[in-house]
Amino acid sequence: MVKYFRNRTKRRKKQVTIGLKFFHWMIAALCLCILQVMLFYNYLAIQHQIEEKNSALVLVGHGALSANTIVERAYTHTFGQIVKSCNKDQTLKDCFEKYYNRITARHENGGTTVPSGTAEHWWFQSMVRDAFDLEPTSSYRSGLSKHWHTAQAIEPNVTMCLIEKVGTKSWRKVFIDLNKDYSPSHDLPLRHNMSSGDLIDLPAPRESSPSFLFLRDPLERFLSAYLDKCADSSLRGIEKHCMPNEIFDTDSEETRSSIELMKGFSFDRNKKTMFAAYVDVMPLRWNMHFFPQSLYCNGLYRYLGDYDFVGYMNADFYETLGTVAKRYGGRFETSLIKNFKLTPDKMRLKQSKMKNTGIETSAPKYVKEYYSPRALRRVLEYVSIDYVLLGLDIPDWADEILNEDQ
C-alpha cells in the first residue's frame, strides 16, 4: 500500500512537472506572440513615419510639390542630361551643340530621339538653342559666351567671371577703372592689354592671376532681371532685353505686334499676372540676363572649386565686398570701395547685426509681390542647375508661396 501511494505521488509530481513545463511553454509562446505583435506595430509605425517624411518632402500642401522636388525633377530631365556627359576637356558650347543636334535631328523613320521629359520641359530646348546661338539664321545673339563676361586687371593681377544681375554694372566700373590707363580698347576696357573680343579661360591660375566670382540666389536674380529689364518701362524699350520683343516691347515702332498682343496686360497694375505671363512666354527667346548662373564662363559649375574666391550677393554682400577688397588689396581695393560706394559701416554689417538692403539686393522684398505658385514652379525649373550644382540653398519663402496652392 505504501509503495502504491509512493508511486502515485511520483506520478502526480511528474504530471505537475509536465503541466508546469507546458504552462511555461504557453507563457513563452504568448510572450513571443506579443513581442511579434509589438514588433509588427512598431514596424508599421516606422513605415508610417517614413511615408509621412517622404510626403513632407514631396508635398507642401494638398498635391503641391515642394521646391526641392521641383528642382530635382527638372534638373534630372534637362540639365542633368548634358552634365553627365560633358567633360572638362570639352567646351560647354560643344556639349550644348551635341545635345541640341541630337534632340532636333530627324531619322530615316521620321521620328525624333529625345530624352524623357523634353516635351514637358520644352523651354530647355530653346535655352540650349539660345545659350550659344546654335541657330545661325537667327538675327539675335544671346551674348552668353561673349567677352564682356570675363574681366582682367594687373597690379594686382586678378580675373573675374562677370554674371548678369550679380552687381555687374559696378564690377565693370571697377575693372574699367583699373584698366583705363592700360587697355587699348576704349569702348569696354575690361582687360589689360587685350582687345574686347578676346576671350579668357577662367578660372586663371591662382599663382599668376587668381580668379573670383559672385553668385546670387537664382530666384531673386531672375526677379531682379525682370524688374530691371521688363517692369522698368524706361529701360524696356531702350535696352530691349525683355524678350521676345515681338511680345513685350510695346514702346517700339519696330514691334507694333506687341501692342495688340499686350492689350489688357500691364506691367504696373497686376504684377503677379504680368510676371506669370512673362515667365511662361520668355523661353521662346532667352535673354542673357535670365540664363542660369551655372552656364556662364564656359560652365562655371565645372570649375567652381578652382576659383580663388567665391562670394555671394546676399544680406551680407557689402561685408563680403570688404573681404574680397582686402584679399586682393592695392588699386583693386581702392577701386572697389569707390565704385560700390562702400563705407566702413557697410563693411561691418555682421558685427552691427545689420543686413544689406541696398539697391544691389533689393529683390527679396518683392518676391511675394510678384511670384505666384505657378510662376515659382516654372522659374525653379529654369534655374534648377544652380541649386543642384552651385551649392545654393532654396530660400524658405519658396515653399511658403508654393503652399498657397493647397
Side-chain angles (χ1 to χ4, degrees):
M1 180 67 105
V2 173
K3 187 176 180 179
Y4 168 78
F5 279 108
R6 284 179 179 175
N7 292 335
R8 185 178 178 184
T9 301
K10 288 181 179 179
R11 286 195 299 272
R12 285 185 176 179
K13 286 182 177 180
K14 187 175 182 180
Q15 289 173 348
V16 170
T17 301
I18 294 172
L20 286 173
K21 288 183 178 179
F22 179 75
F23 177 75
H24 290 157
W25 289 339
M26 291 293 292
I27 293 296
L30 180 63
C31 290
L32 182 61
C33 289
I34 293 173
L35 179 60
Q36 289 177 331
V37 171
M38 291 175 64
L39 289 174
F40 177 71
Y41 277 105
N42 189 47
Y43 168 78
L44 291 179
I46 292 174
Q47 288 296 108
H48 181 66
Q49 290 176 356
I50 292 174
E51 290 176 2
E52 284 188 335
K53 185 177 181 179
N54 289 338
S55 297
L57 291 173
V58 175
L59 300 176
V60 180
H62 299 294
L65 291 175
S66 72
N68 188 61
T69 301
I70 293 170
V71 163
E72 290 180 352
R73 288 185 177 183
Y75 172 80
T76 299
H77 291 299
T78 56
F79 301 101
Q81 300 291 322
I82 297 179
V83 169
K84 65 184 180 183
S85 60
C86 188
N87 302 318
K88 283 188 175 182
D89 58 353
Q90 300 172 283
T91 66
L92 189 64
K93 180 179 180 179
D94 289 341
C95 296
F96 269 46
E97 188 169 14
K98 181 179 179 180
Y99 176 86
Y100 185 72
N101 290 338
R102 179 161 65 93
I103 65 174
T104 57
R106 290 283 174 181
H107 297 282
E108 292 181 1
N109 60 7
T112 304
T113 302
V114 295
S116 172
T118 299
E120 178 185 357
H121 303 102
W122 65 269
W123 52 265
F124 186 61
Q125 179 172 329
S126 62
M127 179 189 288
V128 172
R129 177 197 68 194
D130 295 342
F132 297 101
D133 306 312
L134 299 183
E135 290 292 351
T137 58
S138 172
S139 59
Y140 170 71
R141 295 291 182 267
S142 73
L144 188 59
S145 60
K146 298 298 188 293
H147 60 273
W148 52 78
H149 291 129
T150 55
Q152 180 189 47
I154 63 169
E155 299 178 2
N157 293 355
V158 65
T159 55
M160 182 182 187
C161 173
L162 294 165
I163 303 173
E164 309 297 335
K165 301 310 300 176
V166 190
T168 308
K169 291 178 181 177
S170 295
W171 282 119
R172 284 181 177 148
K173 291 179 181 178
V174 170
F175 280 91
I176 289 173
D177 190 28
L178 292 173
N179 290 324
K180 62 186 178 182
D181 296 329
Y182 296 91
S183 176
S185 176
H186 300 290
D187 58 333
L188 196 64
L190 292 177
R191 320 290 175 70
H192 165 68
N193 287 339
M194 299 180 71
S195 66
S196 294
D198 292 331
L199 296 177
I200 302 175
D201 288 332
L202 293 181
R206 295 192 184 193
E207 300 77 16
S208 58
S209 186
S211 302
F212 73 98
L213 60 82
F214 272 77
L215 301 173
R216 187 177 187 178
D217 174 71
L219 292 174
E220 293 175 4
R221 175 176 170 266
F222 189 97
L223 177 58
S224 176
Y226 172 81
L227 294 174
D228 185 27
K229 307 305 176 185
C230 295
D232 188 341
S233 59
S234 63
L235 294 178
R236 187 169 64 244
I238 298 173
E239 296 185 345
K240 300 187 183 302
H241 287 308
C242 188
M243 307 184 80
N245 286 314
E246 294 83 354
I247 297 176
F248 297 110
D249 185 12
T250 57
D251 300 319
S252 175
E253 289 293 329
E254 301 173 2
T255 54
R256 294 190 61 82
S257 60
S258 64
I259 297 176
E260 294 295 324
L261 294 172
M262 289 291 291
K263 281 184 177 179
F265 290 89
S266 171
F267 284 97
D268 301 322
R269 290 196 295 272
N270 196 323
K271 297 176 181 178
K272 279 190 177 181
T273 299
M274 193 63 241
F275 182 62
Y278 176 76
V279 167
D280 281 344
V281 175
M282 58 81 62
L284 290 172
R285 179 61 68 193
W286 283 86
N287 179 267
M288 61 182 176
H289 296 82
F290 297 90
F291 283 108
Q293 298 162 91
S294 297
L295 306 187
Y296 284 78
C297 298
N298 194 27
L300 65 87
Y301 71 88
R302 303 189 294 171
Y303 312 99
L304 197 61
D306 297 327
Y307 278 85
D308 182 64
F309 184 89
V310 178
Y312 299 92
M313 191 174 177
N314 53 19
D316 299 319
F317 180 51
Y318 287 151
E319 182 188 14
T320 307
L321 285 177
T323 300
V324 75
K326 293 185 180 301
R327 186 180 188 88
Y328 302 119
R331 297 190 313 126
F332 178 85
E333 180 177 8
T334 302
S335 180
L336 190 153
I337 290 174
K338 180 183 74 173
N339 287 289
F340 276 96
K341 297 179 173 59
L342 292 183
T343 63
D345 288 339
K346 284 184 177 180
M347 291 186 284
R348 291 195 300 266
L349 288 176
K350 186 172 290 186
Q351 290 89 329
S352 62
K353 297 182 180 181
M354 296 171 61
K355 293 295 180 183
N356 168 38
T357 56
I359 188 172
E360 296 92 350
T361 54
S362 60
K365 64 184 179 183
Y366 298 114
V367 292
K368 293 188 176 181
E369 191 175 345
Y370 283 86
Y371 273 111
S372 64
R374 174 184 169 83
L376 179 58
R377 283 192 294 270
R378 183 61 78 187
V379 177
L380 280 169
E381 293 179 351
Y382 298 165
V383 300
S384 57
I385 187 174
D386 286 351
Y387 286 119
V388 173
L389 298 184
L390 299 185
L392 300 172
D393 295 325
I394 302 174
D396 294 336
W397 56 260
D399 278 326
E400 293 174 7
I401 292 178
L402 292 173
N403 200 33
E404 296 173 5
D405 232 7
Q406 62 181 321

